[in-house]
Amino acid sequence: MTSQKLQASLWGDENEGGYEYNGRGGFEQDSLVSTATLDARASIKECDDEAIRSGKVFVDKEAALVEAGELVGAFDRGVIKKDEIGGHLVELVRDDKVGRNSSEQIVVFKSVGSVVVDMLAAQFVFETYTRS
């Protein structure tokens, strides 16, 4: 899900356990020049506070903690603390952190974008295509 919406598209109280939510996007980095724009960033979100509260939250990189609207807003409102983030993508890939602990657990993955991830995805698609 990618969105520039001020209203959440995923509502945590409308979903049962056992799902994984992958959010990416939420603001335009080039527009982050004024305090007003930085404050507005916390208003742009793809999921609500309940989805953040009920899930085990992972991010693609540290920047998501200050760039992702749903996380910035959740931190400001006391929904979750930064030290409650489950980990980063690299930690999951290296098995330094455990993702889902059970089939009922909700996992929230928030990405603000990374060239490295884009390149790995492109490599995976290319290698998969060339093998077939």
Side-chain angles (χ1 to χ4, degrees):
M1 175 181 302
T2 301
S3 173
Q4 293 285 344
K5 298 169 82 174
L6 296 178
Q7 292 293 324
S9 300
L10 176 73
W11 301 94
D13 59 357
E14 295 178 0
N15 294 284
E16 296 180 18
Y19 70 89
E20 180 176 329
Y21 159 73
N22 294 289
R24 53 185 306 267
F27 74 97
E28 294 180 29
Q29 188 164 356
D30 292 342
S31 68
L32 296 180
V33 292
S34 70
T35 303
T37 305
L38 289 170
D39 291 342
R41 174 185 58 205
S43 300
I44 300 172
K45 56 187 177 182
E46 298 168 325
C47 65
D48 69 350
D49 286 348
E50 186 55 33
I52 298 294
R53 180 182 293 112
S54 61
K56 186 173 183 181
V57 180
F58 292 91
V59 295
D60 62 339
K61 58 184 178 179
E62 192 73 20
L65 302 178
V66 296
E67 294 177 359
E70 46 284 89
L71 295 180
V72 172
F75 296 146
D76 290 347
R77 291 185 293 278
V79 172
I80 188 173
K81 297 175 186 166
K82 287 184 180 180
D83 64 359
E84 294 175 309
I85 297 297
H88 298 81
L89 179 60
V90 171
E91 294 172 315
L92 286 168
V93 171
R94 290 190 315 217
D95 284 332
D96 293 342
K97 299 282 183 167
V98 175
R100 188 184 308 250
N101 292 321
S102 75
S103 61
E104 293 302 310
Q105 187 172 29
I106 297 167
V107 173
V108 176
F109 176 74
K110 182 62 186 174
S111 172
V112 293
S114 171
V115 165
V116 172
V117 174
D118 293 345
M119 293 301 294
L120 288 173
Q123 180 181 355
F124 173 76
V125 169
F126 175 77
E127 289 177 0
T128 301
Y129 177 77
T130 56
R131 281 189 212 132
S132 56

